[in-house]
Amino acid sequence: MSNSWGSVGTRWLGAGLAAVLAVVTLGLAATGRLALYINPDQAWFAVGMAVLALVGAVASFLLPLGAEADHGHDHGHDHGHETPEPARSVARAERAKRAEPHRALPLGAIAAATGGTLASAVAVAALVLPPASLSVDLAMARDTGTAPLFAGADEVLLASTDTSDFGVGDWASVFSTATSPDAYEGTRVTLTGFVTPDETDDQTLRLGRLVITHCVIDAQPASLPVVSPDWQDALDVGGWIEVEGVVTTDASGALVIEPSGISPVAPPDDPYEY
């Protein structure tokens, strides 16, 4: 009986968990919510791997339960020749050892059981809990004041680049690395993000957004300074806003946004930039 339960556990931790995660991935893709977890450009790969995993999991049921534990220790005969006595003795010893009752669980078994339980809990939670985006609080906790590492390409540093499609992440890269800030002065922007405070200037709010390169694990916060002396009276930290304005420089020569309008908006369906 214990061997049967062990085989069931092995099957669950392998094919079972793979099948659950594959179903979750395909369900998110079918409902258009996979972008809450990965970059949409990577969706084709995730869906393809999920299909392969599901096919493999289904095919694994063709293997008899417990067959994965049979490593062929006792072959009896090899191409018509009798197995040498030493080999048969080793096989019998291994079978006897497996048949002996275990008085105490080894450390490896305890670790495997703990890991399997945690992995099962994560897989089941992914299956039953509704998908959700990362929170603004998490973005604020991750914010170190630096631009996202992979936000935009090298071309964002060139003043001749078309900035009409720039998001918060692209502009954050420009603001932090531009060697000629005045080249961007007067550029009109319309950007959407969440409100975070500027720790060094209470006359300025920071417009934030999470930027994803591959998946939510590597999500990095990006933020832009928006000059708005009375923002704390009209806006809530963590609330989403749309900012219309122009890029300019402050007294120290750093790039900031001078807004012509700030409007509260509902959180977007896809809260990330890529």
Side-chain angles (χ1 to χ4, degrees):
M1 179 65 71
S2 60
N3 288 339
S4 297
W5 280 113
S7 298
V8 171
T10 300
R11 187 71 59 89
W12 164 252
L13 292 178
L17 291 180
V20 169
L21 294 179
V23 169
V24 170
T25 300
L26 295 175
L28 290 171
T31 57
R33 295 177 293 179
L34 191 57
L36 292 175
Y37 297 97
I38 65 172
N39 189 322
D41 291 339
Q42 312 294 328
W44 66 271
F45 179 79
V47 170
M49 291 299 99
V51 171
L52 288 178
L54 195 57
V55 170
V58 172
S60 71
F61 285 96
L62 300 177
L63 185 70
L65 191 64
E68 63 272 13
D70 183 10
H71 302 295
H73 294 297
D74 186 14
H75 297 287
H77 296 279
D78 185 10
H79 299 292
H81 298 286
E82 186 176 351
T83 303
E85 179 60 32
R88 291 202 301 271
S89 298
V90 170
R92 285 195 295 268
E94 289 183 356
R95 289 199 302 271
K97 184 178 180 180
R98 291 198 299 269
E100 292 178 355
H102 296 287
R103 292 181 173 82
L105 287 175
L107 184 60
I110 296 175
T114 302
T117 300
L118 293 175
S120 299
V122 171
V124 173
L127 187 63
V128 300
L129 295 179
S133 61
L134 297 180
S135 68
V136 174
D137 290 338
L138 178 61
M140 293 171 61
R142 290 187 180 184
D143 192 1
T144 61
T146 58
L149 184 60
F150 301 110
D154 292 339
E155 64 180 5
V156 303
L157 305 180
L158 303 176
S160 59
T161 301
D162 180 11
T163 61
S164 60
D165 293 329
F166 275 18
V168 172
D170 296 316
W171 277 116
S173 182
V174 171
F175 277 34
S176 65
T177 58
T179 55
S180 300
D182 56 335
Y184 294 95
E185 281 198 272
T187 303
R188 298 201 62 82
V189 296
T190 300
L191 299 167
T192 300
F194 49 79
V195 177
T196 61
D198 190 307
E199 301 297 337
T200 62
D201 183 3
D202 59 6
Q203 304 295 301
T204 299
L205 68 86
R206 298 194 72 86
L207 182 70
R209 203 75 183 254
L210 281 168
V211 180
I212 289 179
T213 302
H214 297 292
C215 65
V216 293
I217 294 176
D218 63 38
Q220 302 172 76
S223 63
L224 298 170
V226 179
V227 179
S228 181
D230 301 323
W231 74 267
Q232 297 183 57
D233 297 330
L235 303 172
D236 296 324
V237 172
W240 284 80
I241 58 173
E242 182 181 81
V243 174
E244 296 182 15
V246 295
V247 176
T248 186
T249 54
D250 61 13
S252 66
L255 288 169
V256 297
I257 295 177
E258 187 74 37
S260 57
I262 299 178
S263 305
V265 295
D269 293 335
D270 185 355
Y272 307 126
E273 290 184 355
Y274 307 94

